[in-house]
Amino acid sequence: MPNEIAQQSLLNAASNPGSAGVKGDNVSEAIKPLDPRNPADIKPAPSKWSDELARRVVLSDFAKYEQFRKQNFDNRWTANDRILHANVTQEYWEGTIPPVPKASIGVKLEQQQLESLLPYLHEGIFSSSDGIWFDFFPRPNTPPDAAIAAREFVAMQTDVANVEYELDAAFRSGGHHGTGIVKVGWCKRRYDRAEWKPGIIPNASGMGGSERLLRNQTTSYESGPEVRSVSLRDLYIDSSLKEPNLQKAQSVIERALLSWDILQRMGKQDKDYKIPGEAELRDYLVRRSQPKAASADSDRQQSLAEAGQTTIHLQGTTDPARARMEVLEYWSQDRFVVVLERKWTICNKKNPYGFIPYRSFNYVDVIDQFYGKGLAEILEYEQLLQQGLINSHLNEVSLNIHGAIAHQAGSVTNKSDLRPKPGQTIQTVGRPGEVLMEIKRSAVTQDWFVALQQSQLRAQQYTGLSDIITQGAP
């Protein structure tokens, strides 16, 4: 019987395209170990990598960085989100039927400090008198008007790049988890537009013509700086990096999920991208169930569960033309490689910038470590202490309000009458003063409010965010 069940499970898996793997996909993902004794595997810059060597390096580094981060930081970030949302496990009074809940109130100390910090950071950078948060000063022998014009032009570019919004997102990540990251670059966009303009269509005789609206295809280009906040869970950083400076990293890999139509557009607009043919991609997507998964997907799901979201979809729309595929973008000081679905190397060239296009900051630096510490980790125990003090006090108040009553056996006809309630009547056998006695409890949390205030003061000392600062005093 067990063999029949196992065999049936194999048949079901083989007939289900959502569960069975892509044919030949395991072979495509197999990584041949890099061999330092093989000259073909040693290509110092500026020697060009072959596409297969580039894929092997990217996948090997990605696996190594992913494992390192999973062991050291991913669980910590999930715990940070639990602290942010102040989720407390509901407990119940022992022996109560039906179960009576104890006080389980979460204290959002970290969120309070974070929301106080963010406006302080924003105003410290983006405050201005004329809407432009930076100044240009002319060099010697440069007309002042040139500096004014350059300042206005750069202000327009930062507005288009939405720099203020993206940096605010990085500030939130930095304050909460301890590290905030942005990606910087130069973006070139191509726009193909159809315009209808008045024109003349010649007559068949060649003499004269008729006036009509003619359809003209125009192509225009726009370029400018780009700034984008990057989630810590999407960026895989050199595991040997010992300081908060991404320019010192040997390599950095960003993981993203891009839709089919975007990939096709990238291939048409940038000849450096070699996107697989439409038929090959269509055949692959038919056999594949969903985009390539990473451990960060399950960790992100746990973090969202702390915020109350129960599911996360790697694929959103059901439109087949927008099916998402995993892209691994590899950056080093001298190389830029993009691997699609861990199967195809779609770009392999020299780093066009000459630097790793990511910038980061830490809320609190940690010695010999890239990632920093944020408010969640710093305030964790103070928040747990405050939650314990408040809930213990509420439980004690509950016990005093609904106090216990001792009674002589057989003296009360209905024991449920002993529970306090408005207009209560207790029927006893014998004198109530002789058969009933209220059990008095001594208060054990008399100084709970003092301890709570002391914890709040310690939290302000840890973070530097005192009540005076957050209220706007100089």
Side-chain angles (χ1 to χ4, degrees):
M1 185 67 176
N3 290 336
E4 293 178 6
I5 295 176
Q7 183 66 22
Q8 186 63 36
S9 299
L10 291 174
L11 291 174
N12 291 338
S15 61
N16 184 356
S19 300
V22 179
K23 183 178 180 181
D25 200 38
N26 293 332
V27 177
S28 69
E29 287 189 29
I31 306 173
K32 181 181 178 182
L34 297 168
D35 186 359
R37 297 169 297 181
N38 185 359
D41 289 351
I42 304 176
K43 296 289 184 182
S47 301
K48 182 175 176 56
W49 282 346
S50 66
D51 288 349
E52 178 58 23
L53 176 59
R55 188 182 78 91
R56 289 166 57 198
V57 172
V58 172
L59 296 186
S60 297
D61 283 359
F62 177 76
K64 181 178 181 181
Y65 299 167
E66 181 183 35
Q67 181 182 14
F68 171 79
R69 206 184 70 184
K70 177 69 176 176
Q71 293 175 345
N72 295 278
F73 298 103
D74 284 352
N75 293 334
R76 176 68 253 177
W77 297 338
T78 302
N80 290 346
D81 292 331
R82 187 180 305 114
I83 295 167
L84 175 68
H85 300 292
N87 293 327
V88 179
T89 302
Q90 180 65 62
E91 296 182 355
Y92 298 88
W93 290 105
E94 185 179 354
T96 56
I97 301 176
V100 177
K102 288 185 176 181
S104 300
I105 296 176
V107 176
K108 297 192 175 183
L109 173 64
E110 194 252 334
Q111 185 177 23
Q112 170 196 350
Q113 294 282 308
L114 180 62
E115 297 302 330
S116 299
L117 171 67
L118 295 179
Y120 191 62
L121 288 176
H122 182 92
E123 291 301 318
I125 294 180
F126 294 108
S127 60
S128 63
S129 58
D130 60 353
I132 302 178
W133 46 277
F134 52 86
D135 283 320
F136 279 16
F137 298 96
R139 287 180 174 272
N141 301 323
T142 301
D145 291 344
I148 295 174
R151 180 172 181 263
E152 295 288 342
F153 179 72
V154 173
M156 180 271 295
Q157 290 184 318
T158 57
D159 288 343
V160 172
N162 210 5
V163 171
E164 191 170 341
Y165 172 82
E166 297 294 340
L167 288 184
D168 281 343
F171 293 158
R172 181 173 292 274
S173 174
H176 176 45
H177 291 300
T179 301
I181 301 176
V182 295
K183 182 179 183 181
V184 297
W186 190 263
C187 183
K188 185 177 181 181
R189 300 177 179 87
R190 170 180 168 177
Y191 298 95
D192 295 321
R193 296 185 177 91
E195 298 180 346
W196 295 89
K197 295 182 178 180
I200 297 178
I201 299 179
N203 294 330
S205 62
M207 302 294 293
S210 57
E211 188 172 327
R212 301 278 183 85
L213 287 176
L214 302 180
R215 186 176 187 274
N216 295 322
Q217 188 76 19
T218 61
T219 300
S220 60
Y221 295 90
E222 290 183 3
S223 61
E226 183 180 42
V227 177
R228 177 171 56 83
S229 174
V230 179
S231 170
L232 296 182
R233 297 195 188 275
D234 290 334
L235 199 65
Y236 298 80
I237 296 167
D238 174 15
S239 55
S240 67
L241 186 60
K242 302 299 183 184
E243 58 182 288
N245 182 1
L246 286 171
Q247 300 310 306
K248 300 293 184 65
Q250 291 185 312
S251 62
V252 170
I253 300 174
E254 183 178 359
R255 176 176 178 263
L257 298 177
L258 300 183
S259 60
W260 185 6
D261 55 345
I262 291 179
L263 288 169
Q264 296 289 349
R265 195 178 309 132
M266 288 168 55
K268 292 178 181 178
Q269 296 186 0
D270 191 339
K271 300 305 179 183
D272 288 330
Y273 284 90
K274 301 181 287 293
I275 308 299
E278 185 174 338
E280 184 179 5
L281 278 180
R282 185 185 296 111
D283 179 68
Y284 176 80
L285 291 173
V286 167
R287 298 173 181 271
R288 188 202 69 172
S289 58
Q290 62 178 0
K292 295 296 181 186
S295 62
D297 297 330
S298 59
D299 294 324
R300 182 179 275 115
Q301 173 63 64
Q302 294 178 27
S303 291
L304 291 174
E306 299 295 340
Q309 182 175 336
T310 57
T311 57
I312 179 174
H313 293 161
L314 296 180
Q315 174 63 46
T317 177
T318 57
D319 181 4
R322 303 186 70 183
R324 284 181 169 176
M325 287 176 275
E326 183 196 64
V327 170
L328 298 178
E329 195 176 86
Y330 173 99
W331 292 91
S332 67
Q333 293 287 350
D334 41 51
R335 300 187 190 276
F336 172 61
V337 179
V338 182
V339 175
L340 175 64
E341 284 287 302
R342 311 187 194 181
K343 182 179 177 69
W344 298 281
T345 301
I346 61 175
C347 188
N348 178 17
K349 65 177 184 179
K350 180 181 178 181
N351 185 336
Y353 301 121
F355 62 90
I356 297 176
Y358 295 91
R359 294 292 186 269
S360 69
F361 78 97
N362 289 345
Y363 181 73
V364 174
D365 289 339
V366 179
I367 297 174
D368 291 335
Q369 184 175 298
F370 167 74
Y371 293 104
K373 286 190 176 184
L375 292 172
E377 193 169 356
I378 294 171
L379 299 174
E380 177 180 9
Y381 295 108
E382 291 297 337
Q383 180 167 312
L384 294 176
L385 172 62
Q386 293 185 19
Q387 288 176 173
L389 286 170
I390 292 175
N391 289 321
S392 296
H393 177 70
L394 291 177
N395 287 331
E396 184 180 76
V397 170
S398 177
L399 290 175
N400 287 329
I401 294 176
H402 306 281
I405 298 178
H407 64 91
Q408 184 176 339
S411 62
V412 179
T413 57
N414 187 358
K415 295 180 181 179
S416 64
D417 290 341
L418 296 175
R419 293 185 177 180
K421 52 184 175 290
Q424 182 178 14
T425 300
I426 302 177
Q427 185 177 1
T428 64
V429 178
R431 295 181 180 180
E434 297 177 355
V435 299
L436 298 180
M437 181 181 67
E438 183 181 2
I439 299 178
K440 298 292 185 180
R441 299 177 59 88
S442 59
V444 296
T445 60
Q446 296 178 357
D447 299 329
W448 74 277
F449 189 69
V450 175
L452 190 65
Q453 288 181 319
Q454 291 174 345
S455 175
Q456 189 70 27
L457 290 174
R458 284 196 301 271
Q460 294 178 3
Q461 291 173 347
Y462 294 155
T463 63
L465 298 171
S466 66
D467 294 335
I468 297 177
I469 293 177
T470 56
Q471 289 173 4

Short mmCIF file of all heavy atoms in Angstrom, two decimals, residues 249-281:
data_model
loop_
_atom_site.label_atom_id
_atom_site.label_comp_id
_atom_site.label_asym_id
_atom_site.label_seq_id
_atom_site.Cartn_x
_atom_site.Cartn_y
_atom_site.Cartn_z
N ALA A 249 33.66 46.34 -1.65
CA ALA A 249 33.19 44.98 -1.86
C ALA A 249 33.81 44.40 -3.13
O ALA A 249 34.02 45.11 -4.12
CB ALA A 249 31.66 44.96 -1.97
N GLN A 250 34.07 43.10 -3.12
CA GLN A 250 34.58 42.45 -4.33
C GLN A 250 33.49 42.33 -5.37
O GLN A 250 33.76 42.41 -6.57
CB GLN A 250 35.15 41.07 -3.97
CG GLN A 250 36.43 41.14 -3.15
CD GLN A 250 37.02 39.77 -2.91
OE1 GLN A 250 36.33 38.83 -2.52
NE2 GLN A 250 38.32 39.63 -3.15
N SER A 251 32.25 42.11 -4.93
CA SER A 251 31.11 42.08 -5.86
C SER A 251 29.83 42.24 -5.07
O SER A 251 29.77 41.99 -3.87
CB SER A 251 31.08 40.77 -6.66
OG SER A 251 30.92 39.66 -5.80
N VAL A 252 28.80 42.67 -5.79
CA VAL A 252 27.46 42.86 -5.22
C VAL A 252 26.46 42.32 -6.24
O VAL A 252 26.63 42.53 -7.45
CB VAL A 252 27.19 44.36 -4.94
CG1 VAL A 252 25.74 44.58 -4.59
CG2 VAL A 252 28.10 44.86 -3.82
N ILE A 253 25.44 41.63 -5.77
CA ILE A 253 24.43 41.05 -6.66
C ILE A 253 23.05 41.52 -6.22
O ILE A 253 22.68 41.35 -5.05
CB ILE A 253 24.49 39.50 -6.65
CG1 ILE A 253 25.87 39.02 -7.09
CG2 ILE A 253 23.40 38.92 -7.54
CD1 ILE A 253 26.05 37.52 -6.97
N GLU A 254 22.31 42.09 -7.15
CA GLU A 254 20.93 42.47 -6.87
C GLU A 254 19.99 41.49 -7.57
O GLU A 254 20.15 41.19 -8.75
CB GLU A 254 20.62 43.89 -7.33
CG GLU A 254 19.20 44.32 -6.99
CD GLU A 254 18.88 45.75 -7.39
OE1 GLU A 254 19.79 46.44 -7.91
OE2 GLU A 254 17.73 46.18 -7.18
N ARG A 255 19.02 41.01 -6.83
CA ARG A 255 18.03 40.07 -7.38
C ARG A 255 16.73 40.82 -7.61
O ARG A 255 16.26 41.57 -6.75
CB ARG A 255 17.80 38.92 -6.41
CG ARG A 255 16.72 37.93 -6.85
CD ARG A 255 16.62 36.77 -5.87
NE ARG A 255 15.57 35.85 -6.25
CZ ARG A 255 14.34 35.85 -5.74
NH1 ARG A 255 14.02 36.74 -4.81
NH2 ARG A 255 13.45 34.98 -6.14
N ALA A 256 16.15 40.63 -8.79
CA ALA A 256 14.89 41.29 -9.12
C ALA A 256 14.05 40.35 -9.96
O ALA A 256 14.55 39.39 -10.56
CB ALA A 256 15.15 42.60 -9.88
N LEU A 257 12.75 40.62 -10.01
CA LEU A 257 11.81 39.87 -10.84
C LEU A 257 11.27 40.83 -11.89
O LEU A 257 10.55 41.78 -11.57
CB LEU A 257 10.67 39.30 -9.99
CG LEU A 257 11.08 38.29 -8.90
CD1 LEU A 257 9.87 37.86 -8.09
CD2 LEU A 257 11.77 37.09 -9.51
N LEU A 258 11.63 40.60 -13.16
CA LEU A 258 11.20 41.46 -14.26
C LEU A 258 10.23 40.70 -15.15
O LEU A 258 10.37 39.50 -15.36
CB LEU A 258 12.41 41.92 -15.08
CG LEU A 258 13.48 42.73 -14.34
CD1 LEU A 258 14.56 43.17 -15.31
CD2 LEU A 258 12.88 43.93 -13.63
N SER A 259 9.27 41.43 -15.70
CA SER A 259 8.27 40.79 -16.56
C SER A 259 8.82 40.60 -17.97
O SER A 259 9.78 41.24 -18.40
CB SER A 259 6.99 41.63 -16.60
OG SER A 259 7.26 42.92 -17.11
N TRP A 260 8.20 39.70 -18.69
CA TRP A 260 8.63 39.33 -20.05
C TRP A 260 8.66 40.55 -20.96
O TRP A 260 9.61 40.76 -21.72
CB TRP A 260 7.68 38.25 -20.58
CG TRP A 260 8.07 37.70 -21.92
CD1 TRP A 260 9.20 37.97 -22.64
CD2 TRP A 260 7.32 36.76 -22.70
NE1 TRP A 260 9.20 37.27 -23.81
CE2 TRP A 260 8.07 36.51 -23.88
CE3 TRP A 260 6.12 36.11 -22.53
CZ2 TRP A 260 7.62 35.65 -24.88
CZ3 TRP A 260 5.68 35.24 -23.53
CH2 TRP A 260 6.42 35.01 -24.67
N ASP A 261 7.62 41.37 -20.91
CA ASP A 261 7.56 42.52 -21.83
C ASP A 261 8.69 43.52 -21.55
O ASP A 261 9.25 44.11 -22.47
CB ASP A 261 6.20 43.21 -21.74
CG ASP A 261 5.83 43.64 -20.33
OD1 ASP A 261 6.48 43.14 -19.38
OD2 ASP A 261 4.91 44.45 -20.16
N ILE A 262 9.05 43.68 -20.26
CA ILE A 262 10.16 44.59 -19.94
C ILE A 262 11.48 44.04 -20.47
O ILE A 262 12.30 44.78 -21.02
CB ILE A 262 10.23 44.82 -18.42
CG1 ILE A 262 9.02 45.63 -17.96
CG2 ILE A 262 11.52 45.54 -18.04
CD1 ILE A 262 8.99 45.89 -16.47
N LEU A 263 11.67 42.73 -20.35
CA LEU A 263 12.90 42.12 -20.87
C LEU A 263 12.99 42.29 -22.38
O LEU A 263 14.06 42.59 -22.93
CB LEU A 263 12.95 40.65 -20.50
CG LEU A 263 13.21 40.34 -19.02
CD1 LEU A 263 12.96 38.87 -18.73
CD2 LEU A 263 14.63 40.71 -18.64
N GLN A 264 11.88 42.10 -23.08
CA GLN A 264 11.88 42.28 -24.53
C GLN A 264 12.20 43.72 -24.91
O GLN A 264 12.94 43.99 -25.86
CB GLN A 264 10.50 41.88 -25.11
CG GLN A 264 10.15 40.41 -24.94
CD GLN A 264 10.98 39.51 -25.83
OE1 GLN A 264 11.68 39.97 -26.73
NE2 GLN A 264 10.94 38.21 -25.59
N ARG A 265 11.68 44.66 -24.14
CA ARG A 265 11.94 46.08 -24.41
C ARG A 265 13.41 46.40 -24.16
O ARG A 265 14.04 47.17 -24.90
CB ARG A 265 11.04 46.93 -23.53
CG ARG A 265 10.95 48.40 -23.95
CD ARG A 265 10.01 49.16 -23.05
NE ARG A 265 8.73 48.48 -22.93
CZ ARG A 265 8.13 48.26 -21.77
NH1 ARG A 265 8.69 48.66 -20.65
NH2 ARG A 265 6.96 47.65 -21.74
N MET A 266 13.97 45.81 -23.09
CA MET A 266 15.39 46.03 -22.80
C MET A 266 16.25 45.53 -23.96
O MET A 266 17.23 46.19 -24.36
CB MET A 266 15.78 45.30 -21.52
CG MET A 266 15.23 45.92 -20.25
SD MET A 266 15.43 44.85 -18.79
CE MET A 266 17.18 44.53 -18.83
N GLY A 267 15.91 44.36 -24.51
CA GLY A 267 16.68 43.81 -25.62
C GLY A 267 16.62 44.66 -26.86
O GLY A 267 17.59 44.75 -27.63
N LYS A 268 15.48 45.33 -27.09
CA LYS A 268 15.34 46.16 -28.29
C LYS A 268 16.04 47.51 -28.14
O LYS A 268 16.57 48.05 -29.12
CB LYS A 268 13.85 46.38 -28.58
CG LYS A 268 13.11 45.11 -29.02
CD LYS A 268 11.63 45.39 -29.25
CE LYS A 268 10.89 44.13 -29.67
NZ LYS A 268 9.45 44.37 -29.86
N GLN A 269 16.04 48.04 -26.92
CA GLN A 269 16.58 49.37 -26.72
C GLN A 269 18.07 49.37 -26.41
O GLN A 269 18.73 50.38 -26.60
CB GLN A 269 15.81 50.07 -25.59
CG GLN A 269 14.34 50.31 -25.90
CD GLN A 269 13.65 51.12 -24.83
OE1 GLN A 269 14.25 51.51 -23.85
NE2 GLN A 269 12.37 51.38 -25.02
N ASP A 270 18.60 48.27 -25.90
CA ASP A 270 20.02 48.20 -25.55
C ASP A 270 20.60 46.95 -26.17
O ASP A 270 20.28 45.83 -25.76
CB ASP A 270 20.18 48.18 -24.02
CG ASP A 270 21.63 48.38 -23.58
OD1 ASP A 270 22.53 48.14 -24.41
OD2 ASP A 270 21.86 48.75 -22.41
N LYS A 271 21.45 47.13 -27.15
CA LYS A 271 22.01 45.99 -27.88
C LYS A 271 22.99 45.18 -27.04
O LYS A 271 23.40 44.09 -27.45
CB LYS A 271 22.70 46.49 -29.15
CG LYS A 271 21.76 47.22 -30.11
CD LYS A 271 20.56 46.36 -30.47
CE LYS A 271 19.60 47.09 -31.40
NZ LYS A 271 18.40 46.29 -31.69
N ASP A 272 23.39 45.68 -25.86
CA ASP A 272 24.26 44.90 -24.99
C ASP A 272 23.52 43.74 -24.34
O ASP A 272 24.14 42.81 -23.84
CB ASP A 272 24.86 45.79 -23.90
CG ASP A 272 25.91 46.75 -24.46
OD1 ASP A 272 26.56 46.39 -25.45
OD2 ASP A 272 26.06 47.85 -23.90
N TYR A 273 22.19 43.80 -24.33
CA TYR A 273 21.38 42.72 -23.75
C TYR A 273 21.02 41.73 -24.85
O TYR A 273 20.43 42.10 -25.88
CB TYR A 273 20.11 43.27 -23.10
CG TYR A 273 20.36 43.95 -21.77
CD1 TYR A 273 20.64 45.31 -21.71
CD2 TYR A 273 20.31 43.22 -20.59
CE1 TYR A 273 20.87 45.93 -20.49
CE2 TYR A 273 20.54 43.83 -19.37
CZ TYR A 273 20.82 45.19 -19.33
OH TYR A 273 21.05 45.80 -18.12
N LYS A 274 21.33 40.47 -24.62
CA LYS A 274 21.03 39.40 -25.57
C LYS A 274 19.91 38.54 -24.97
O LYS A 274 20.17 37.53 -24.30
CB LYS A 274 22.27 38.57 -25.86
CG LYS A 274 23.43 39.40 -26.43
CD LYS A 274 24.64 38.54 -26.74
CE LYS A 274 25.36 38.08 -25.48
NZ LYS A 274 25.99 39.19 -24.75
N ILE A 275 18.67 38.97 -25.21
CA ILE A 275 17.52 38.28 -24.65
C ILE A 275 17.24 37.02 -25.49
O ILE A 275 17.29 37.08 -26.71
CB ILE A 275 16.29 39.20 -24.64
CG1 ILE A 275 16.63 40.53 -23.95
CG2 ILE A 275 15.12 38.52 -23.94
CD1 ILE A 275 17.05 40.40 -22.52
N PRO A 276 16.95 35.88 -24.86
CA PRO A 276 16.60 34.68 -25.64
C PRO A 276 15.42 34.93 -26.56
O PRO A 276 14.59 35.83 -26.32
CB PRO A 276 16.26 33.65 -24.56
CG PRO A 276 16.97 34.12 -23.33
CD PRO A 276 16.99 35.61 -23.42
N GLY A 277 15.32 34.14 -27.62
CA GLY A 277 14.25 34.32 -28.59
C GLY A 277 12.88 34.13 -27.98
O GLY A 277 12.71 33.46 -26.96
N GLU A 278 11.89 34.71 -28.63
CA GLU A 278 10.52 34.67 -28.11
C GLU A 278 10.01 33.24 -28.00
O GLU A 278 9.37 32.87 -27.01
CB GLU A 278 9.60 35.49 -29.01
CG GLU A 278 8.18 35.61 -28.49
CD GLU A 278 7.34 36.55 -29.33
OE1 GLU A 278 7.90 37.40 -30.02
OE2 GLU A 278 6.10 36.41 -29.28
N ALA A 279 10.31 32.40 -28.99
CA ALA A 279 9.84 31.01 -28.96
C ALA A 279 10.49 30.25 -27.81
O ALA A 279 9.83 29.46 -27.11
CB ALA A 279 10.14 30.34 -30.29
N GLU A 280 11.78 30.48 -27.58
CA GLU A 280 12.48 29.79 -26.51
C GLU A 280 11.94 30.22 -25.14
O GLU A 280 11.72 29.37 -24.26
CB GLU A 280 13.98 30.09 -26.59
CG GLU A 280 14.82 29.35 -25.57
CD GLU A 280 16.31 29.65 -25.69
OE1 GLU A 280 16.67 30.52 -26.52
OE2 GLU A 280 17.10 29.03 -24.96
N LEU A 281 11.70 31.51 -24.96
CA LEU A 281 11.15 31.98 -23.69
C LEU A 281 9.73 31.48 -23.48
O LEU A 281 9.36 31.10 -22.36
CB LEU A 281 11.17 33.51 -23.65
CG LEU A 281 12.49 34.19 -23.27
CD1 LEU A 281 12.34 35.69 -23.26
CD2 LEU A 281 12.98 33.71 -21.91
#
